[in-house]
């Protein structure tokens, strides 16, 4: 017996309710154009559903209710009506925990579909915080869906994200749930929706048999072609809602016999769904006056699409040094933040750069600590074992020049490192500015201080001095 099923994937939309600038690559180099918007995503979903009634399932791989001003100010709640209108069948999570587990549970309880996490446990009881799986029925098929939340929430994120809960990798739990779904529930297919990151998920698929499809998240990969690993079809679909993944499956005897994949660009040519556009308007309208205010100009296109150094973070770090007079500055290697082409900068752009708006902080750090901190970060970014990769991109830094061998073993990647143009002195104490505990983790430095200025205000003050240039300068160079 042959059946057909279409899976739709959104991942890492980061609260981008409306169309925005996105970076696109071409033979002549990258360029900017408008993409995304939940109303356009809804229109894509509805067109596909109308063409194949009862044969379409839509999944959200997380990083959804955090990342923009309206999302953060409402602690995720503003997005609930819009997400319910999109009609997902299940989701998993990562930055959703930024508001604390209790708030996320509250938001999850208002969604019309389940949050799934096979690897998120309550500290007090040892029980799972969310269901590990659900079974979705389509025309002729039963589909078992297992969720895996980001395992780094309690390892490298602020402590408040994981208050009272902890996370495993999920690889040990998966086989039992797959067997249960296949043998006891009698499902035709097993789909895993994950937020571990593409390298981790490739390893997971190699190790765990029986996953028919794995919908990947976290690392913002644009997979124009699926990866096939141990008979598992893996897709991931960019970020910021600029792309939607479509996977059309032909199923015979409880196995995928054929598939077609399309990474759909959510472009301006797509006519928005009027109902969802109205819902988005209700969320955005109270904030438009505040967010549309022009606060300055950038001569450099700002983005976070690059692993080792990024122009968007160079702008942020320049503002931190300007606000503090520090010798150097650090921020986390975040991936989120819609690109900004050269030209005017609005308040909305600044909130997209750093939506949590943390205080600007300073710390005294020795050269020895600084080197150890950067070695730790390089390992978490480039670990040979994907399961040891814990975070975003390389830590962003300014006032430091570092040359590294990415392929070297842990703790031995840095070849040379300079501070203020001089070779780093292990015993010297440096005055550093940073934002969040991911910029300079608590284990490093002393005399930490949160200043009476927050990140967005620091960015605005810096822009008052004139147009910003934030070109790549080789602060970290792979050699």
């Amino acid at each position: 017996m042959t059946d057909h099923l279409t899976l739709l994937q959104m991942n890492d939309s980061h609260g981008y309710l409306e169309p925005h600038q996105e970076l696109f690559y071409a033979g002549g180099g990258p360029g900017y154009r408008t993409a995304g918007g939940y109303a356009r995503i809804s229109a894509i979903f509805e067109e596909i559903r109308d063409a194949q009634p009862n044969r379409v399932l839509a999944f959200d791989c997380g990083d959804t209710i955090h990342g923009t001003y309206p999302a953060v100010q409402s602690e995720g709640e503003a997005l609930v009506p819009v997400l319910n209108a999109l009609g997902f069948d299940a989701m998993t999570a990562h930055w959703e925990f930024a508001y604390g587990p209790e708030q996320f549970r509250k938001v999850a309880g208002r969604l019309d579909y389940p949050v799934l996490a096979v690897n998120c446990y309550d500290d007090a009881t040892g029980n799972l915080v969310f269901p590990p799986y659900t079974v979705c029925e389509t025309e002729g098929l039963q589909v078992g869906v297992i969720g895996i939340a980001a395992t780094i929430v309690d390892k490298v994120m602020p402590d408040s994200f994981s208050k009272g809960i902890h996370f495993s990798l999920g690889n040990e739990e998966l086989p039992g749930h797959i067997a249960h779904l296949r043998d006891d529930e009698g499902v035709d297919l097993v789909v895993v929706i994950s937020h571990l990151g593409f390298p981790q998920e490739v390893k997971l698929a190699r190790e765990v048999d029986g996953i028919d499809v794995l919908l990947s998240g976290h690392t913002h990969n644009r997979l124009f072609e699926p990866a096939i690993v141990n008979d598992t079809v893996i897709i991931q679909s960019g970020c910021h809602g600029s792309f939607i993944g479509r996977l059309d499956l032909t199923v015979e005897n409880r196995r995928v016999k054929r598939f077609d994949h399309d990474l759909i660009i959510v472009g301006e040519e797509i006519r928005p769904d009027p109902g969802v556009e109205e819902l988005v308007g209700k969320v955005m309208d109270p904030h438009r006056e505040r967010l549309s205010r022009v606060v300055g100009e950038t001569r450099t296109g700002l983005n976070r699409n690059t692993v080792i150094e990024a122009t968007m973070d160079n702008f942020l770090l320049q503002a931190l040094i300007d606000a503090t007079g520090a010798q150097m500055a650090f921020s986390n290697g975040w991936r989120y933040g819609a690109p900004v082409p050269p030209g005017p900068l609005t308040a909305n752009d600044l909130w997209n750069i750093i939506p949590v708006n943390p205080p600007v902080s300073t710390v005294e750090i020795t050269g020895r600590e600084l080197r150890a901190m950067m070695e730790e970060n390089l390992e978490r970014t480039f670990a040979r074992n994907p399961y040891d990769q814990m975070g975003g991109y390389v830590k962003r830094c300014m006032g430091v020049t570092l040359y590294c061998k990415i392929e070297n073993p842990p703790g031995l990647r840095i070849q040379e490192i300079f501070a203020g143009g001089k070779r780093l002195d292990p015993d010297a104490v440096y005055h550093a500015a940073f934002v969040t505990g991911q910029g300079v983790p608590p284990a490093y430095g002393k005399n930490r201080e949160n200043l009476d200025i927050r990140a967005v205000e620091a960015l605005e003050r810096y822009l008052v001095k004139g147009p910003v240039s934030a070109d790549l300068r080789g602060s970290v160079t792979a050699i």
Side-chain angles (χ1 to χ4, degrees):
M1 183 177 176
T2 302
D3 284 288
H4 299 278
L5 172 67
T6 295
L7 301 180
L8 301 175
Q9 178 198 31
M10 182 178 83
N11 59 272
D12 299 277
S13 62
H14 286 288
Y16 280 77
L17 289 150
E18 295 192 301
H20 50 81
Q21 291 294 306
E22 188 57 86
L23 198 67
F24 287 88
Y25 301 97
Y32 298 88
R33 66 178 193 261
T34 302
Y38 286 175
R40 288 195 172 101
I41 292 171
S42 178
I44 292 169
F45 283 9
E46 288 311 304
E47 181 180 0
I48 295 170
R49 286 167 174 149
D50 288 346
Q52 300 167 92
N54 302 317
R55 293 184 183 275
V56 179
L57 297 174
F59 298 107
D60 177 0
C61 290
D63 273 2
T64 305
I65 63 170
H66 187 283
T68 56
Y69 183 85
V72 173
Q73 295 304 307
S74 68
E75 295 192 323
E77 294 186 26
L79 277 76
V80 169
V82 181
L83 294 172
N84 282 337
L86 290 175
F88 290 103
D89 292 283
M91 74 174 288
T92 193
H94 172 210
W95 271 94
E96 283 70 19
F97 290 97
Y99 310 117
E102 286 306 315
Q103 174 63 13
F104 179 33
R105 275 190 274 232
K106 179 181 173 185
V107 173
R110 292 178 54 201
L111 295 172
D112 294 339
Y113 48 91
V115 172
L116 305 177
V118 74
N119 60 328
C120 176
Y121 295 92
D122 184 277
D123 286 346
T125 66
N127 296 330
L128 286 171
V129 175
F130 297 101
Y133 67 84
T134 188
V135 177
C136 300
E137 293 190 23
T138 66
E139 188 76 36
L141 290 172
Q142 285 203 323
V143 182
V145 183
I146 304 170
I148 308 178
T151 188
I152 65 171
V153 173
D154 63 343
K155 298 169 183 65
V156 298
M157 312 294 282
D159 291 343
S160 61
F161 286 32
S162 56
K163 184 178 180 181
I165 62 174
H166 63 275
F167 294 79
S168 68
L169 184 66
N171 57 336
E172 293 182 4
E173 295 92 332
L174 263 184
H177 289 293
I178 292 170
H180 171 75
L181 285 167
R182 282 283 187 186
D183 301 336
D184 301 332
E185 300 273 2
V187 302
D188 299 288
L189 287 180
V190 172
V191 174
V192 171
I193 57 173
S194 170
H195 201 96
L196 293 179
F198 183 68
Q200 294 89 330
E201 288 147 351
V202 167
K203 180 170 183 174
L204 186 80
R206 285 199 182 108
E207 292 179 348
V208 178
D209 296 333
I211 305 170
D212 294 296
V213 174
L214 194 153
L215 304 182
S216 166
H218 183 54
T219 42
H220 296 196
N221 284 231
R222 303 175 188 179
L223 295 187
F224 286 88
E225 299 289 339
I228 313 301
V229 179
N230 190 20
D231 295 326
T232 300
V233 183
I234 306 175
I235 68 170
Q236 193 181 131
S237 306
C239 62
H240 300 136
S242 300
F243 303 85
I244 291 296
R246 173 177 179 166
L247 193 61
D248 294 301
L249 305 174
T250 300
V251 181
E252 289 182 10
N253 300 320
R254 305 173 78 193
R255 290 288 182 268
V256 175
K257 291 299 180 183
R258 185 175 180 275
F259 64 86
D260 290 297
H261 171 252
D262 187 14
L263 184 64
I264 301 168
I265 298 172
V266 185
E268 289 187 281
E269 73 281 358
I270 297 166
R271 182 175 295 179
D273 176 328
V276 172
E277 195 167 38
E278 183 179 348
L279 290 173
V280 168
K282 288 179 180 177
V283 175
M284 295 299 301
D285 288 346
H287 307 297
R288 288 197 194 281
E289 185 176 350
R290 174 185 186 133
L291 296 178
S292 62
R293 179 171 55 91
V294 175
V295 293
E297 179 188 349
T298 178
R299 290 177 175 148
T300 306
L302 305 177
N303 70 79
R304 283 191 173 127
N305 293 51
T306 41
V307 174
I308 289 180
E309 181 189 355
T311 56
M312 184 174 285
D313 293 290
N314 282 350
F315 167 39
L316 172 61
L317 296 170
Q318 287 167 200
L320 295 181
I321 289 176
D322 182 72
T324 62
Q327 297 167 274
M328 57 187 65
F330 301 93
S331 69
N332 188 45
W334 291 301
R335 295 188 181 98
Y336 62 70
V340 185
L345 275 164
T346 66
N348 189 54
D349 295 322
L350 304 189
W351 284 98
N352 288 347
I353 289 169
I354 191 156
V356 293
N357 193 25
V360 175
S361 304
T362 57
V363 66
E364 293 176 356
I365 186 168
T366 67
R368 189 172 284 102
E369 287 177 305
L370 199 157
R371 186 184 188 110
M373 178 179 77
M374 294 307 298
E375 283 281 12
E376 177 186 64
N377 179 253
L378 290 168
E379 169 62 10
R380 286 178 169 176
T381 308
F382 300 117
R384 180 179 180 183
N385 180 351
Y387 291 162
D388 293 330
Q389 294 174 14
M390 300 236 174
Y393 295 145
V394 172
K395 185 186 300 294
R396 311 311 194 179
C397 50
M398 187 162 289
V400 172
T401 306
L402 183 156
Y403 299 91
C404 64
K405 293 280 191 184
I406 289 173
E407 70 273 22
N408 279 10
L412 300 171
R413 288 189 173 89
I414 295 175
Q415 301 292 287
E416 297 193 64
I417 183 168
F418 301 84
K422 298 179 181 179
R423 192 173 300 280
L424 191 74
D425 180 349
D427 298 314
V429 177
Y430 299 94
H431 183 226
F434 67 98
V435 281
T436 82
Q438 292 172 288
V440 176
Y444 299 100
K446 62 181 181 180
N447 297 329
R448 301 168 75 92
E449 183 181 358
N450 292 336
L451 305 185
D452 191 25
I453 179 174
R454 290 188 171 267
V456 171
E457 183 185 354
L459 291 169
E460 283 206 42
R461 285 189 191 178
Y462 186 63
L463 287 167
V464 169
K465 300 187 175 186
V468 69
S469 295
D471 297 319
L472 300 179
R473 57 178 66 193
S475 56
V476 177
T477 302
I479 57 173

